[in-house]
């Protein structure tokens, strides 16, 4: 076999090997808002994708809300919980933007969700620890700039639009 034929065969082999290599895994974190109503939370994240290191498929969502909605929310801290929403609630909500994260960032994100889940009760405060504060901290974990002095902590959609404005790479 001539050197030229071997070079062509070798090139074809490399090309075929590249085509059969597994696709790079990725995890996408989507930030959502839901207009006010009787269902909660009004700000939350949806996580979908595959963890690169393990191949684990991810399809989850997390928001933070009071465990019981009552006038007590207006008076101070009440019991809070990290909650997942049903697909119909997500479908009726507004996706504001997406961020693709690596495995290490995904692990930090899940640690932050766990931190909120495990907080000492009462953990929900309309003015200091609500669903918008929760997604603000998750936005920081994925590397986004946020305004910690925002006046929009009771306006989920407006807050996420503000975050988008602070991060032009989000488009």
């Amino acid at each position: 076999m001539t050197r030229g034929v071997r070079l062509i065969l070798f090139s074809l082999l490399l090309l075929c090997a590249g085509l059969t290599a597994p696709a790079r895994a990725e995890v996408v974190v989507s930030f959502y808002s839901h207009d006010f109503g009787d269902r909660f939370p009004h700000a939350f994240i949806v996580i979908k994708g595959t963890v690169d290191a393990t191949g684990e498929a991810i399809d989850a969502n997390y928001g933070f809300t009071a465990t019981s909605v009552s006038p007590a929310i207006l008076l101070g801290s009440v019991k809070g919980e990290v909650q997942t929403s049903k697909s119909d609630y997500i479908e009726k909500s507004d996706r504001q933007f997406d961020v693709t994260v690596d495995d290490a960032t995904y692990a930090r994100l899940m640690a932050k969700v766990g931190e909120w889940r495990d907080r000492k009760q009462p953990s929900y405060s309309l003015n200091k620890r609500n669903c918008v504060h929760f997604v603000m901290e998750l936005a920081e974990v994925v590397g986004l700039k946020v305004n910690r002095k925002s006046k929009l902590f009771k306006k989920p959609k407006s807050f996420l639009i503000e975050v988008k404005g602070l991060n032009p790479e989000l488009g």
Side-chain angles (χ1 to χ4, degrees):
M1 199 173 345
T2 67
R3 184 170 192 241
V5 172
R6 275 187 273 163
L7 184 58
I8 291 171
L9 287 174
F10 182 69
S11 297
L12 285 172
L13 180 65
L14 287 176
L15 178 64
C16 289
L19 292 176
T20 61
R24 178 157 165 51
E26 63 181 31
V27 174
V28 177
V29 182
S30 301
F31 288 77
Y32 279 78
S33 63
H34 189 88
D35 290 335
F36 290 104
D38 61 348
R39 291 175 67 185
F40 301 92
H42 292 125
F44 59 94
I45 63 165
V46 172
I47 310 169
K48 292 187 179 198
T50 306
V51 177
D52 210 17
T54 64
E56 174 189 5
I58 306 298
D59 186 0
N61 67 82
Y62 303 99
F64 183 73
T65 190
T67 58
S68 176
V69 179
S70 73
I73 289 173
L74 301 173
L75 303 174
S77 295
V78 296
K79 190 173 180 185
E81 67 181 341
V82 171
Q83 199 175 74
T84 60
S85 298
K86 296 195 183 310
S87 60
D88 69 318
Y89 184 74
I90 295 167
E91 290 167 10
K92 293 176 184 172
S93 301
D94 298 318
R95 190 179 82 229
Q96 299 300 331
F97 52 83
D98 304 319
V99 179
T100 301
V101 299
D102 60 19
D103 287 7
T105 304
Y106 170 72
R108 287 192 305 276
L109 185 73
M110 294 312 299
K112 182 60 77 173
V113 169
E115 178 185 309
W116 277 74
R117 180 177 283 132
D118 298 338
R119 286 193 170 178
K120 180 181 172 195
Q121 298 295 337
S123 62
Y124 181 93
S125 167
L126 185 59
N127 296 316
K128 297 177 185 174
R129 290 178 310 278
N130 67 27
C131 61
V132 178
H133 294 93
F134 176 72
V135 297
M136 175 192 67
E137 289 194 12
L138 299 179
E140 286 180 317
V141 169
V142 302
L144 298 176
K145 294 177 193 132
V146 299
N147 177 6
R148 283 191 154 269
K149 297 182 188 278
S150 179
K151 305 272 188 230
L152 302 171
F153 285 114
K154 293 181 185 170
K155 298 182 177 184
K157 183 176 185 176
S158 297
F159 178 82
L160 290 173
I161 290 170
E162 178 183 62
V163 171
K164 190 173 180 181
L166 293 169
N167 297 276
E169 68 275 17
L170 295 174

